[in-house]
Amino acid sequence: MSANELLSPIRELGYYPFSAYLRARYGCKVHKVSIHAGFTCPNRDGRVGVGGCTYCINESFSPQAGKPPRSVREQMADGIDYMRRRYHARKFFAYFQAFSNTYADVKTLRALYDEALEFPDVVGISIGTRPDCVPDEVLDLVQEYTARAEVWLEYGIQSAHDKTLRLINRGHDFATFKDAVARTLPRGIRVCAHVILGLPGESHADIMATAEAIQPLGIHGIKLHHLYIARNTAMEKDYLAGQIKLFTAEEYVPVACDFLERIPADVAVQRLVGDTTSAGVLLAPSWPQTKTEVFRMISEEFRRRGASQGSRVGAQVRQQGQ
Ligand code: SF4
């Protein structure tokens, strides 16, 4: 990927969207097929913890979570068929989304990942998981797929502050994330980090410190979420007790821009705001703006500042497509 291809969306939007990265690399829009492969999570089943992260009911992250899973092959076939008919889609990523998608033995994982990649137009695989759930033998397996597809691991980290990670019951610390990234990148696997902006107890300076802690690690993608409260979560109680303040969209936009200014310009932004996909899950906040309007507000804010993603880092263009 040339520097021009990288910089043109940044000039236009102020940030580098994952869709632009994929289009430049594959010459067309690439669609993600979300998969629920029947995993659970070590922070819910007792291996690391019980109850999970205080903001988590997994139904809020995936349209299919909570439903009995069909085979990966069926989900891929249906997803590809739907996207072909609806969007004339030509290329696809398999996205293992629900729960911790490396939480099984290597033989089980291999069978599931193989099913997703047996479709000829699937050019990549994205695997969402926890940074404490990637032993070397699992990374070795995931690395094997880099020979035939583009491979991403998506690590939930949410904050670089161990105090916050304890408060939200993540069950791991920031050092665990750094260790996972350091073992993942040399294998040719791309890394996307998930971060929540607005976690309880975090100041603006704390949020920026998270960006600065992530910035030098060499990751390839980032997903930003504003904190929202889902029903039937531990965090709901604290919110209803008045202990958590949530961003309005107008408050979130400058914070997201401040954060992205500290993230290198070649890190593809895979998400800019949180998203609840299941009806009835979201308790708060209820923003009047649509997601598209928030994207526009972020671009306008960058334009108003004369700044962009990476402008506090010094944009060093890494050759992501190579
Ligand atoms: S790691 Fe993910 S699936 Fe597990 S409890 Fe936390 S948010 Fe939920």
Side-chain angles (χ1 to χ4, degrees), residues 152-169:
W152 288 74
L153 276 171
E154 297 192 17
Y155 291 130
I157 177 58
Q158 320 311 351
S159 167
H161 302 282
D162 289 345
K163 185 165 69 88
T164 305
L165 297 178
R166 278 193 297 277
L167 184 70
I168 62 174
N169 196 38

Side-chain angles (χ1 to χ4, degrees), residues 14-31:
Y15 59 90
Y16 178 42
F18 189 49
S19 56
Y21 159 75
L22 290 171
R23 190 177 284 280
R25 177 141 196 214
Y26 295 102
C28 64
K29 186 169 165 60
V30 178
H31 296 254

